[in-house]
Amino acid sequence: QVQLQESGPGLVKPSQTLSLTCTVSGDSISSGGYYWSWIRQHPGKGLEWIGYMFYNGITYYNPSLKSRVIISVDTSKNQFSLRLSSVSAADTAVYYCARVVQRDGPFDYWGQGTLVIVSS
Amino acid sequence: QSVLTQPPSVSGAPGQRVTISCTGSSSDIGAGYDVHWYQQLPGTAPKLLIYGNSHRPSGVPDRFSGSKSGTSASLAITGLQADDEADYYCQSYDSSLINSLFGGGTKLTVL
C-alpha cells in the first residue's frame, strides 16, 4: 500500500521560505513511472496544483507560482520536497503531496495534508 | 481562479440522483484530456473517485459514474446516502499552460 506523509513547520513568517517534505512508503520514487506532486488548499477553498516532479528531477510548476517554487527529490530517503519562497498570508493553506501516473493523469495517492500558517 | 467551472453546490434527498457538471475549454477537456473526480469528506484529503472520465478505482461503489462530452464532464451519484455529503472536485490538464487543473469544487448536501 502506497502511503505519503507530509512534514514540516506549521508556522512560517512572512517573506520567509516555506519548506515541506513528503516521505513515500510502499513505492520507490527512483523506480520511475510516476510524477510526485504538491497541491494546496486555502482554508475553505478549492484545490490548487503547485507542481510535480519526475524521479529524474524534471519539474513542472503552476505558472502562477513558478517564480517562487522549487520541488526537489532525495531518492536515497525516498522523499521529495517543496520550497516556496517569499511567502505571505495568501500562502496559508493545507499542503498535500500526491502521486500521479502521468502529467494528465489522476492523483491516485495523497498524503493526509499539513496546515501551514503564514504569520508573524 | 479555477479554469474548470463547477456549480458551487448541489443537493438531493436520500435515494435520489444528482449530477455535478465540470465545464472546461478547448485547451483542456475539449483538447481530449481526461477528467478525473475526487471526493473530499470534511477534514480529510481528497480521494480519487473517478479516473479517465468514467472509470472507478477499486472500492468505489457503482453508484458513482462519470461521463465526458466536448468541453464538459459530469459526475452522477445515484441512490444518495447521507455519507455522500462532501465536496467534489473535477481535474483535468491544460496543454497550453502545461499543468493540471482543478475545478472550484461542488458541495453536495444530502437533505
Side-chain angles (χ1 to χ4, degrees), chain A residues 41 49 63 96 103-105 107, chain B residues 36 38 40 89 91 93 99:
Chain A
Q41 185 170 35
W49 174 76
Y96 296 100
R103 283 188 282 136
D104 63 340
F107 298 92
Chain B
H36 320 292
Y38 302 85
Q40 185 176 33
Y89 293 91
Q91 176 230 329
Y93 182 82
N99 62 207

Side-chain angles (χ1 to χ4, degrees), chain B residues 1-110:
Chain B
Q1 184 174 353
S2 305
V3 179
L4 301 180
T5 302
Q6 298 180 233
S9 64
V10 297
S11 63
Q16 284 190 334
R17 177 181 186 270
V18 296
T19 61
I20 298 173
S21 62
C22 175
T23 302
S25 69
S26 58
S27 62
D28 41 70
I29 298 175
Y33 292 104
D34 286 342
V35 177
H36 320 292
W37 291 91
Y38 302 85
Q39 178 192 59
Q40 185 176 33
L41 298 170
T44 69
K47 166 193 166 186
L48 181 62
L49 196 63
I50 297 286
Y51 69 93
N53 306 315
S54 60
H55 303 279
R56 286 184 304 277
S58 175
V60 174
D62 59 6
R63 301 187 297 106
F64 296 90
S65 62
S67 63
K68 171 190 160 183
S69 178
T71 59
S72 296
S74 290
L75 171 71
I77 309 172
T78 59
L80 265 183
Q81 300 178 359
D83 58 6
D84 294 334
E85 194 161 279
D87 293 324
Y88 292 84
Y89 293 91
C90 61
Q91 176 230 329
S92 189
Y93 182 82
D94 188 307
S95 57
S96 63
L97 298 175
I98 314 180
N99 62 207
S100 287
L101 301 170
F102 287 99
T106 299
K107 181 175 182 60
L108 169 63
T109 300
V110 180

